Amino acid sequence: MIEDLILKLKQEIIDQLQLEGMTPEEMDPEAPLFGEEGLGLDSIDVLELVVLLDKNYGIKIRGPKEGPKIFYSIKTIAEYILNQQKN
Amino acid sequence: MELLITRHVKFQDRRVWLNGIVEHVSEAGSADKLFRSVYRYYDIDYPKFFKMDNLCKLAFLSAEGLLRGTDILQEYPGGEVAIILENASSSLEYDQKHVESIRDQNRYFPSPSVFVYTIPNIMVAEIAIRHKVKGENAVFIFEQFDPGLIYDYVSELFRNQQVSCCLSGWVECYGDHYQSLLFIIEQEDKIKRCKGLQEYVIFDTANMEKLFKGKSL
Amino acid sequence: MLDVFVGTSNTITSIGFSTAEHVKRIKAGQIGISIYPGGDLWPTPVPLSLIDSQRLLDLFREHLSKGKPDLQLDSFTRSEMLHILSISDVLKNSGVDIRDSRTLIILSTLKGNMDLLKKDRLPAIEPDRVYLWKWGEFLGSFFNSSNKPLVVSNACASGLLATLIGSRLIKAGRYDHVIAAGGDILTEFAVSGFQSFQSLSPKPCKPFDADRDGLSLGEGCGAIVLSRDHSLCGIPEKIVLAGGSCTNDAHHISGPLRTGEMFYVAIRKALREASLDPLDIDYISAHGTGTESYDETEAKALSWAGLEKVPVNSFKGYFGHTLGAAGIIESAIAIASMRNNELFRSAGFENPGTSDRINILTDHISREVNHCLKTASGFGGCNVAAVFKKI
């Protein structure tokens, strides 16, 4: 189930963050999203991920405080969503 | 202290001119297609390009066309290079996009990556970030290109030694109406490189007007 | 070297319709930021600083009836009413002739008539006035100005930059007098946009404070007279705009360069042009928005410039961040501080909250102010610093 969500999230992230030329296959779900090792996302991208969670999953968060842990990787985002949906 | 326009780029009607010579023609009419075509032609690797609105893409590509293959900016400290631009529609295209994102109370998702482009000086920032230009910067809004203001203001910046090099001109984009004229202004006695076959033009209102209209100088 | 004098001013925000009124209310500690209960501007409660609409309409109606009785109230947008009142006030109190070809209006704004994008509203107004050049042209023609106003749009640094540009065009010999005016109204457009950045505080903003967590948006409009002829300025004191600089961080489109380097460079260059050392500065009117990043960066820059001991305040705790008006309104009140030799407490500040300590004013004090530094910065990496000097 988490695998399906991860696949869905990959495409949603590509679309929401306008990652031109990126394919879901290239995205390692466990790799850090931010910083040089990952996709090199920045502060506006964090806020866009907040919008994505609200728009597609109805989950509202305050980016700067809660963001770093939730948005560490695609996998942590998926885990967070599943957790929120359980409660 | 003679001020010269040492290089100029123009985007209009599917064409890109460098120093008055057409260097690229796009088959398609839309702004989107032209900008993609030029991005590929310039062989740029800059993922953030695809997050920009069209006004910033045009400004970015105009600066790229102006500066690629040259070391002109290396002749000056970044803090002494200015970017002074004129524009007509400001960020109207993305203003409308932002308004759309908040039109429906049931699908109310304002986006920071849209909102950030709802001010025209972000196009200056995109050029500044790419080329490490850190000096004076301003965006003036005019119905049409006004070379007189650029002449008065930029001359004063040089006279007062606030700048030693300036990127200036007109960048306008709304829907598929796009037009840019971007040029470099330098002091004749400060240019370090060999002139070679380069044609320099005196920085004055009449010459800027001619460049804008595509007339011979 | 030509001196550019600063003269009379007007300021309109939630706490008043003139600079004198602002000074009176700030002295009394009045805060104009209040909790907007939710409505057109934003669905849920949020602190905002709104101009008194009824008073605005009454004053504008009265203004029209005196000068242009044929014109209808509904043919003006909110932004246009504010600018007309502001510019009219400074013209009334100075000797500057707006129809003189040597006079220029410079207008600073982020979004002008952005409310016109909601097509179902304001039917009596031509939709083209959503274009900033058209908005400027409309304002210029109201005053029969000889020159079309020059419109500057440089994010939140616009107001201070417009003032600086005005002084430079006078020094260039192009004009003799400039009215530097600027304003932004509050719209759902702006509130929703800043909310998407999560940069609005759920309580009134606290610039430089340890508990600061965002800015408070305010609407505002202001105008300042600049002239090479002191006798036309409308104030007895001789205060000049002695130096200024604008730099770009070249770092990120919305976040500041946190080292404060280019902000520091703008300050240093402004001081140098004014022929002043850091120790000569008596007071700093800071940008101070109440956001974690921008306040931190500004404190770093001030410290780097050797200004950490100079009394500093932000006015945004009184009437919020007025965007395109901020640099104009805050400069006007800073100049009033110079004229009256009194400095005001930085509203919203209780405990130092920046890594570099600066000397935030915690009380109103009397102090001789001969040299004042004003700063501003904004989206797009723009930093502006200007020095006002009594001569």
Side-chain angles (χ1 to χ4, degrees):
Chain A
M1 189 165 144
I2 195 171
E3 288 76 23
D4 291 336
L5 181 56
I6 285 173
L7 192 60
K8 182 166 176 266
L9 265 175
K10 282 181 178 182
Q11 191 58 55
E12 286 172 341
I13 289 170
I14 288 170
D15 295 338
Q16 188 79 22
L17 269 47
Q18 296 168 277
L19 302 177
E20 177 85 2
M22 180 74 57
T23 61
E25 295 72 42
E26 290 175 273
M27 295 165 95
D28 175 0
E30 306 210 21
L33 287 168
F34 295 86
E36 276 156 33
E37 310 150 35
L39 295 176
L41 305 187
D42 70 6
S43 54
I44 297 183
D45 295 315
V46 176
L47 296 164
E48 279 298 332
L49 290 174
V50 169
V51 174
L52 191 162
L53 249 57
D54 188 7
K55 192 159 78 173
N56 298 2
Y57 299 96
I59 299 169
K60 291 192 194 300
I61 57 174
R62 259 213 63 101
K65 293 197 175 100
E66 304 167 41
K69 267 206 313 218
I70 300 168
F71 299 127
Y72 177 77
S73 67
I74 298 173
K75 185 161 177 235
T76 56
I77 300 175
E79 284 165 352
Y80 181 78
I81 292 171
L82 287 174
N83 214 305
Q84 290 296 305
Q85 286 174 340
K86 243 188 262 171
N87 303 340
Chain B
M1 177 203 58
E2 183 103 87
L3 291 176
L4 301 173
I5 293 173
T6 57
R7 208 165 157 87
H8 49 95
V9 141
K10 191 159 149 183
F11 277 59
Q12 190 171 310
D13 297 331
R14 298 185 292 117
R15 283 165 182 75
V16 179
W17 286 260
L18 174 61
N19 293 335
I21 315 271
V22 173
E23 68 160 5
H24 183 73
V25 183
S26 168
E27 291 310 313
S30 75
D32 283 337
K33 293 208 166 106
L34 172 71
F35 299 157
R36 274 179 185 276
S37 160
V38 176
Y39 181 86
R40 280 192 303 269
Y41 171 70
Y42 285 161
D43 197 25
I44 307 169
D45 177 23
Y46 198 78
K48 283 198 194 298
F49 176 81
F50 298 98
K51 302 188 184 215
M52 297 179 198
D53 72 330
N54 275 352
L55 177 64
C56 288
K57 281 180 177 156
L58 178 58
F60 179 91
L61 291 172
S62 301
E64 200 70 18
L66 193 64
L67 296 166
R68 63 195 281 265
T70 77
D71 290 321
I72 297 173
L73 291 193
Q74 274 64 59
E75 294 180 31
Y76 305 99
E80 291 177 20
V81 184
I83 305 175
I84 307 295
L85 300 180
E86 292 180 354
N87 158 276
S89 307
S90 182
S91 49
L92 196 52
E93 203 171 312
Y94 260 45
D95 293 346
Q96 288 165 331
K97 193 166 174 177
H98 179 64
V99 166
E100 270 314 301
S101 75
I102 57 174
R103 190 179 287 287
D104 182 352
Q105 289 295 318
N106 297 318
R107 293 285 302 163
Y108 196 90
F109 302 111
S111 153
S113 62
V114 169
F115 184 68
V116 72
Y117 287 105
T118 60
I119 35 174
N121 69 303
I122 302 297
M123 66 171 164
V124 166
E126 296 287 14
I127 297 174
I129 293 165
R130 171 73 164 165
H131 300 283
K132 294 283 160 249
V133 174
K134 302 181 179 183
E136 292 281 334
N137 55 100
V139 175
F140 296 102
I141 308 293
F142 284 97
E143 184 184 6
Q144 290 164 350
F145 178 52
D146 185 323
L149 183 276
I150 291 181
Y151 179 75
D152 289 334
Y153 191 60
V154 173
S155 299
E156 176 60 16
L157 291 177
F158 275 100
R159 188 198 67 79
N160 205 25
Q161 296 173 349
Q162 270 136 342
V163 312
S164 55
C165 174
C166 182
L167 307 181
S168 190
W170 171 261
V171 181
E172 163 66 7
C173 189
Y174 180 54
D176 285 322
H177 173 72
Y178 54 85
Q179 191 183 27
S180 76
L181 168 66
L182 199 65
F183 41 86
I184 304 179
I185 304 156
E186 299 176 79
Q187 296 161 105
E188 184 172 32
D189 56 350
K190 297 281 193 293
I191 297 171
K192 297 188 173 103
R193 63 197 181 275
C194 289
K195 190 177 178 223
L197 293 169
Q198 291 298 316
E199 302 252 336
Y200 295 163
V201 161
I202 291 175
F203 170 64
D204 63 27
T205 307
N207 280 336
M208 282 188 271
E209 198 70 67
K210 283 182 185 149
L211 288 178
F212 188 70
K213 291 184 173 150
K215 296 205 167 108
S216 51
L217 297 154
Chain C
M1 184 50 150
L2 186 63
D3 282 323
V4 177
F5 296 96
V6 291
T8 188
S9 67
N10 172 271
T11 55
I12 304 176
T13 69
S14 56
I15 63 169
F17 279 72
S18 69
T19 306
E21 197 176 348
H22 276 74
V23 168
K24 184 172 145 195
R25 300 213 187 280
I26 288 170
K27 258 189 179 151
Q30 188 171 332
I31 306 293
I33 305 168
S34 58
I35 306 296
Y36 174 79
D40 283 347
L41 296 178
W42 184 253
T44 54
V46 62
L48 294 174
S49 166
L50 286 157
I51 292 170
D52 181 340
S53 293
Q54 192 55 59
R55 195 170 162 205
L56 169 61
L57 290 174
D58 290 343
L59 282 171
F60 191 72
R61 193 179 290 115
E62 188 189 333
H63 184 74
L64 276 189
S65 69
K66 283 188 197 151
K68 303 201 180 203
D70 300 334
L71 297 181
Q72 302 298 317
L73 209 67
D74 65 0
S75 52
F76 297 87
T77 64
R78 189 177 178 87
S79 167
E80 288 158 2
M81 287 188 213
L82 288 168
H83 282 81
I84 287 168
L85 284 178
S86 219
I87 294 169
S88 298
D89 195 35
V90 300
L91 288 174
K92 187 180 81 184
N93 294 320
S94 71
V96 171
D97 182 357
I98 200 78
R99 293 157 308 171
D100 185 346
S101 63
R102 301 289 298 169
T103 301
L104 177 72
I105 300 174
I106 301 184
L107 295 169
S108 120
T109 192
L110 270 64
K111 304 313 296 171
N113 284 333
M114 195 40 52
D115 49 347
L116 289 180
L117 277 192
K118 277 195 161 176
K119 291 189 179 66
D120 51 320
R121 300 172 72 172
L122 308 174
I125 289 159
E126 50 184 329
D128 266 5
R129 278 176 11 222
V130 77
Y131 287 99
L132 295 180
W133 59 265
K134 189 85 180 172
W135 163 81
E137 212 171 82
F138 178 82
L139 289 170
S141 67
F142 182 90
F143 291 103
N144 294 317
S145 66
S146 182
N147 299 297
K148 281 188 195 171
L150 177 63
V151 179
V152 174
S153 192
N154 243 60
C156 305
S158 295
L160 190 58
L161 181 59
T163 310
L164 187 54
I165 289 170
S167 77
R168 287 168 171 173
L169 290 174
I170 293 173
K171 284 184 176 165
R174 182 65 186 83
Y175 299 98
D176 296 331
H177 326 287
V178 165
I179 311 286
D184 270 293
I185 54 169
L186 263 183
T187 54
E188 186 189 10
F189 187 104
V191 180
S192 62
F194 279 93
Q195 287 285 36
S196 77
F197 265 87
Q198 299 202 353
S199 46
L200 299 186
S201 173
K203 49 189 196 297
C205 65
K206 299 170 74 61
F208 302 112
D209 188 79
D211 285 334
R212 69 186 189 280
D213 57 1
L215 59 95
S216 298
L217 283 173
E219 57 180 358
C221 189
I224 298 180
V225 166
L226 301 166
S227 176
R228 57 182 294 176
D229 185 344
H230 173 254
S231 71
L232 300 179
C233 281
I235 62 173
E237 298 87 356
K238 286 187 173 174
I239 299 174
V240 298
L241 205 174
S245 175
C246 170
T247 61
N248 197 292
D249 286 345
H251 170 69
H252 190 270
I253 55 177
S254 62
L257 175 61
R258 290 183 71 109
T259 61
E261 182 190 354
M262 294 320 296
F263 201 151
Y264 152 68
V265 169
I267 294 167
R268 191 191 70 210
K269 284 185 167 184
L271 288 173
R272 185 159 10 114
E273 190 184 2
S275 304
L276 292 174
D277 289 325
L279 290 177
D280 296 323
I281 300 294
D282 301 306
Y283 159 59
I284 302 163
S285 168
H287 186 58
T289 58
T291 61
E292 188 282 319
S293 55
Y294 276 87
D295 286 2
E296 172 75 5
T297 304
E298 186 168 18
K300 266 205 165 25
L302 289 173
S303 218
W304 195 338
L307 295 165
E308 65 277 5
K309 292 202 169 29
V310 178
V312 52
N313 63 14
S314 165
F315 289 119
K316 293 182 172 73
Y318 291 100
F319 44 74
H321 188 350
T322 54
L323 305 178
I328 310 259
I329 291 174
E330 294 164 19
S331 292
I333 304 172
I335 289 161
S337 291
M338 291 178 79
R339 295 180 63 197
N340 302 328
N341 291 312
E342 57 188 1
L343 300 179
F344 301 119
R345 179 184 150 255
S346 195
F349 177 81
E350 289 168 288
N351 299 299
T354 53
S355 310
D356 290 82
R357 286 290 166 91
I358 50 178
N359 185 10
I360 309 280
L361 284 153
T362 51
D363 284 299
H364 298 337
I365 58 169
S366 293
R367 169 157 176 159
E368 191 167 338
V369 186
N370 296 315
H371 309 128
C372 163
L373 171 74
K374 173 81 193 103
T375 55
S377 71
F379 272 19
C382 185
N383 308 296
V384 182
V387 175
F388 298 105
K389 205 183 195 182
K390 265 182 201 160
I391 60 169

